[in-house]
Amino acid sequence: MLLIEDEENIAEAIRFILTRDGWQVVHLAEGRGAARRAAELMPAVVILDTMLPGASGLEILAEMRSNLLTAHLPVVMLTAKSQPRDREAAERAGADRFLAKPFANADILAVVRELAAGRKTGLGPSGGAAVA
């Protein structure tokens, strides 16, 4: 699991939820170099904040979608902006799912499990085939 989120409280909460569920979580606090890191890790799912220092989530997603290595990686966009145009921009950029902040713990877990179900490689739940 690759978590790209600059708000430490949110990152810590997501990391706690996912780690408790058996996921190995790598956290980045800024956008610069995030698409390259995704290509190195090949995570089961990328959780990507929309507003980040260094590069926006939409820029990172566009870079990931243009790279053959990362084009298929499932991406959940997180944002404090929940306007329809924000959701549409994330969908146009290639996001698989969109969650507005604040979100319920159960929602993030359900989305991650759903998206990871089709993946066989990357940073997945410990004990599964998707461990790196």
Side-chain angles (χ1 to χ4, degrees):
M1 181 75 47
L2 178 58
L3 170 61
I4 308 165
E5 169 63 61
D6 64 323
E7 294 181 47
E8 191 55 42
N9 292 339
I10 293 172
E12 198 55 44
I14 293 171
R15 190 178 3 213
F16 176 78
I17 294 162
L18 296 176
T19 301
R20 191 177 65 194
D21 196 51
W23 293 93
Q24 181 183 356
V25 179
V26 173
H27 173 237
L28 301 176
E30 68 172 53
R32 192 175 21 258
R36 180 179 38 77
R37 192 73 172 123
E40 293 168 358
L41 294 172
M42 295 304 291
V45 177
V46 176
I47 301 173
L48 179 59
D49 188 15
T50 303
M51 296 181 291
L52 294 161
S56 77
L58 294 176
E59 291 169 329
I60 295 163
L61 183 55
E63 187 176 345
M64 287 176 59
R65 293 300 184 232
S66 70
N67 181 335
L68 290 176
L69 291 174
T70 57
H72 66 284
L73 291 178
V75 175
V76 179
M77 293 294 294
L78 293 179
T79 185
K81 300 186 213 176
S82 58
Q83 298 295 319
R85 70 174 181 259
D86 298 316
R87 180 181 297 268
E88 290 165 8
E91 289 172 357
R92 276 194 311 275
D96 296 285
R97 296 290 183 279
F98 181 93
L99 288 176
K101 298 175 190 174
F103 48 82
N105 295 356
D107 290 343
I108 193 128
L109 207 48
V111 167
V112 164
R113 287 175 178 168
E114 174 193 342
L115 291 176
R119 296 270 302 146
K120 301 292 185 231
T121 61
L123 299 173
S126 50
V131 176

